[in-house]
Amino acid sequence: MVKPRSVRVSAVVGVALLAAVGCSSPAPSSGGTSGGGTVVVATAGEPDTLNPVLNFGPDGASLIFDGLVARDARNALTPALARELPQVSADGRTVTAKLREGVLFHDGSPLTAQDVVFTYQAVLDPKVDSTLRSDLDMLASVAAPDPATVVFTLKHPYAPFLQRLALGVVPGKAFAGQDVNKAEFNRRPIGTGPYRMTSWTPGDRLVLAANDRYWGGRPANPGVVVAFVADDNVRAQRMRAGEFDAAELPPKLAVGFDGPGGHRVQRVPTADYRGVMLPMGNPVLGDLAVRRALHAAVDRQAMVTGVLGGAGEPAFGPVPPSSEFAEASITGRPAADPAAATAILDAAGWTPGPDGIRARAGRKAAFTLMYPATDSLRKELALAVTADARKIGIAVNPQGLTWDAITPRMKTDALIMGYGTPYDPDFVSFKLFGSAFAGQGFFNPGSYRSATVDAALQAGRDNTDPAARRAAYATFQRQLAADVPWVFLTYLQHTYVVRDTVVGVTPRVEPHEHDVANSLWWNVHTWTRKS
C-alpha cells in the first residue's frame, strides 16, 4: 500500500516544469500523428526509491526497468528480457530463462545472466531491507550457468512463480562495494527500460528521457515527466489549466471533464478494493459481533453510486469478481441490512443507551476510523461508514491524518485501506491476512490470526493444480468472510483524465499499486499526439 507524500506542489512550479521539459506543439509525422513533445502525467503517490530490489515496480511496467517477463494489455505474460517465456520443469521446481541478445543498460553496458542473479540474490539477502523477500521465500537459489542463461531452483512448486519474474533487473556492477539500502542507485537508477532517468525532484517530479537503444524499439515520444501532486483538488485544477497530458483523479473530480473541452475520461477496471481494516486489539472491534454488524450495516451500493459516481462495484472480499478464484458464496446484498446488524448486536448484549449509542459492560460501541487526509475518496468512504454505523448504534469518529500519524496507531484504530491485485490471489493476501505477518507495518496491521486462513493461503501457493488452488482460495475467502477482519466496501474503477490529442492509450485491469508503475501510462512509450 503506497503512502502518498503530503506535498502540495504549486501551480507556479507546474508551469516552470512544463517550460523546462519543452511541451511544445509537435511537428506532424508522415503517419498523421506526432511523437514530439514530452508527455506529462500526474499522480498522487511518489515512490520512496527507484530500486526494484527495494520494491519499486515489482510487478513490472516501471518505465525504467524490464523484468524477464512483462504483461500485455490483457495482463497475460509475455517475454521481455527473456527471449521466450521461461521453461518450468516437470516437477515445478526448476525454472530456466534464456536472455534476449543485445540488451543494453542505460549506461551502455550489456545485460548478462549475472545481473539477473544479483537482482534476485539481493532481494533474498537478509542485509537488504527488501519487503519483497517473503514474495520469494520459495526460491532456494538462482544461478547463471552461462552469460545468457538463468536457472531458478525452488524449494517447492509455486504456481505463480513466472509472474514474479516481472521484477525489474538491475546491473550488479552498479552496487559493487556499496550497501544496497543506501546506494546512490536508489535515487539515480540504471535500467534497460524504454526510459532513462534524468532527474528526480522529491515532492515535485520525475523526469525521464527516451532510451534510444531500447531493445523493444525507440519510444514514440522523447520523454515522460511524472508530476507528484498529493492533493486531489490541486491535481484537478492543474489538469484543467493544461499542465498535464493525463492525470488520475477521484471519480467525482473526473466527472467534470466529461464532454467538450479537450479532455476525455478513462474509467479503468481494477482489482483495487477499499475497505475498513478492523484491528483485533481494539476493545470494541475485537468483538466478532461488532465486526459482523458493521459488515451488514454498510450500504456498498450507495457508496458506489454516491462516492464513486458509479465508477466501481460493491466488494465483499479481496479476490475480485473477475478472477477465476473468486468465491461466489461470499457475495452478499450490496444494500445495507440494518435489521440483521441490529439483531447481531442485540444477541451479543450491546444495548442502546439514552443517546442511541450501544454499550456493553460499561463500554460504548465506539471507535476511531482513520483515513489519509489528502485522499478525498477515502474521506468520503469514511464518512459513509460513519453514517451507516450510527444507524445501528455504533459511534465512529472519522479522523483525517498524515501517514506518519496513522502508522503507529494501526494496531488499535480502524483505517480505510486499499489493496488488491489482478495477477494472482497469492499476491497481497498472503501477507495481508497471514498470521506470520501480524502487526508488521502494512502487512496485516490489525494482527488478524486464523489457522484456517494460514493453511489455505499456504496451500494456494504450494499447489500447481488449478482445482486444488481454487479449493484453497475458496476456503480462504469463506473463513475471511466469517471472521470479518476487514469490512470490504468497494472495488474501484481508476479514473483518469486524458487530453483528446493523446493517441495510444490502452487501459488494462490495474492493481492497487499504480503510481509511476502500472498506471494508465504503462505503455506510454507508444503514446503519440494527433497532428
Side-chain angles (χ1 to χ4, degrees), residues 478-522:
R478 289 194 296 265
Q479 189 62 48
L480 205 68
D483 294 340
V484 200
W486 279 50
V487 173
F488 293 92
L489 302 175
T490 63
Y491 277 97
L492 310 183
Q493 290 177 358
H494 292 160
T495 50
Y496 298 87
V497 175
V498 185
R499 285 191 184 183
D500 281 341
T501 53
V502 175
V503 177
V505 176
T506 308
R508 66 179 183 182
V509 179
E510 293 181 356
H512 169 68
E513 307 283 9
H514 65 288
D515 292 311
V516 176
N518 279 313
S519 288
L520 184 67
W521 38 86
W522 68 274

Side-chain angles (χ1 to χ4, degrees), residues 30-408:
S30 59
T33 61
S34 135
T38 295
V39 176
V40 184
V41 301
T43 188
E46 180 174 8
D48 295 320
T49 177
L50 294 176
N51 184 349
V53 169
L54 300 179
N55 201 32
F56 172 62
D59 293 316
S62 69
L63 309 185
I64 301 170
F65 298 92
D66 297 304
L68 292 172
V69 302
R71 291 184 174 88
D72 65 14
R74 298 178 297 107
N75 279 324
L77 292 183
T78 61
L81 296 181
R83 62 178 184 237
E84 59 187 14
L85 289 181
Q87 299 298 304
V88 182
S89 63
D91 65 359
R93 297 184 59 182
T94 303
V95 178
T96 304
K98 296 288 186 178
L99 296 187
R100 192 181 295 274
E101 295 179 0
V103 177
L104 300 176
F105 284 102
H106 296 151
D107 63 357
S109 61
L111 168 76
T112 70
Q114 196 55 49
D115 295 310
V116 181
V117 170
F118 174 86
T119 299
Y120 284 85
Q121 285 183 339
V123 172
L124 296 176
D125 186 347
K127 295 179 182 178
V128 175
D129 298 330
S130 177
T131 58
L132 303 176
R133 190 167 302 115
S134 58
D135 291 345
L136 296 175
D137 62 3
M138 78 300 294
L139 186 56
S141 65
V142 55
D146 64 61
T149 305
V150 183
V151 178
F152 298 90
T153 302
L154 309 188
K155 299 172 186 175
H156 53 79
Y158 176 67
F161 185 73
L162 291 190
Q163 297 195 55
R164 294 296 189 193
L165 301 184
L167 177 67
V169 173
V170 303
K173 66 180 184 306
F175 296 90
Q178 297 188 52
D179 179 350
V180 173
N181 302 308
K182 302 175 182 177
E184 181 183 2
F185 183 98
N186 300 340
R187 301 201 68 79
R188 300 193 63 83
I190 300 168
T192 62
Y195 297 100
R196 55 184 174 80
M197 194 200 81
T198 62
S199 68
W200 179 12
T201 307
D204 185 359
R205 65 192 184 271
L206 175 67
V207 182
L208 307 174
N211 176 9
D212 293 338
R213 297 179 292 191
Y214 184 49
W215 60 266
R218 189 186 189 282
N221 49 70
V224 176
V225 173
V226 183
F228 303 118
V229 187
D231 189 285
D232 294 334
N233 289 298
V234 173
R235 201 160 60 256
Q237 291 165 7
R238 293 179 61 184
M239 183 72 205
R240 197 173 294 283
E243 296 185 36
F244 309 133
D245 292 298
E248 186 185 10
L249 293 174
K252 285 189 173 180
L253 290 176
V255 166
F257 289 87
D258 271 323
H263 303 97
R264 65 183 183 274
V265 178
Q266 296 272 183
R267 295 173 175 83
V268 181
T270 80
D272 184 9
Y273 53 80
R274 294 292 179 272
V276 184
M277 182 279 296
L278 304 175
M280 300 299 104
N282 181 286
V284 173
L285 298 174
D287 182 4
L288 177 59
V290 172
R291 301 199 302 272
R292 287 180 172 173
L294 288 169
H295 170 79
V298 294
D299 193 337
R300 295 168 176 84
Q301 188 58 55
M303 294 177 190
V304 170
T305 302
V307 177
L308 303 185
E313 60 183 314
F316 298 92
V319 180
S322 58
S323 171
E324 64 174 302
F325 297 99
E327 171 57 24
S329 69
I330 70 164
T331 302
R333 292 176 56 205
D337 191 346
T342 297
I344 292 169
L345 293 172
D346 288 343
W350 291 94
T351 57
D355 58 358
I357 304 304
R358 293 173 180 269
R360 186 178 69 182
R363 182 181 298 280
K364 281 200 168 188
F367 65 91
T368 295
L369 176 56
M370 305 182 293
Y371 62 89
T374 60
D375 191 320
S376 60
L377 190 150
R378 295 194 204 195
K379 176 182 179 179
E380 289 192 57
L381 289 174
L383 295 177
V385 170
T386 299
D388 289 341
R390 183 65 179 82
K391 294 172 184 175
I392 61 168
I394 296 177
V396 178
N397 174 29
Q399 290 188 6
L401 304 168
T402 65
W403 283 110
D404 286 342
I406 287 170
T407 302

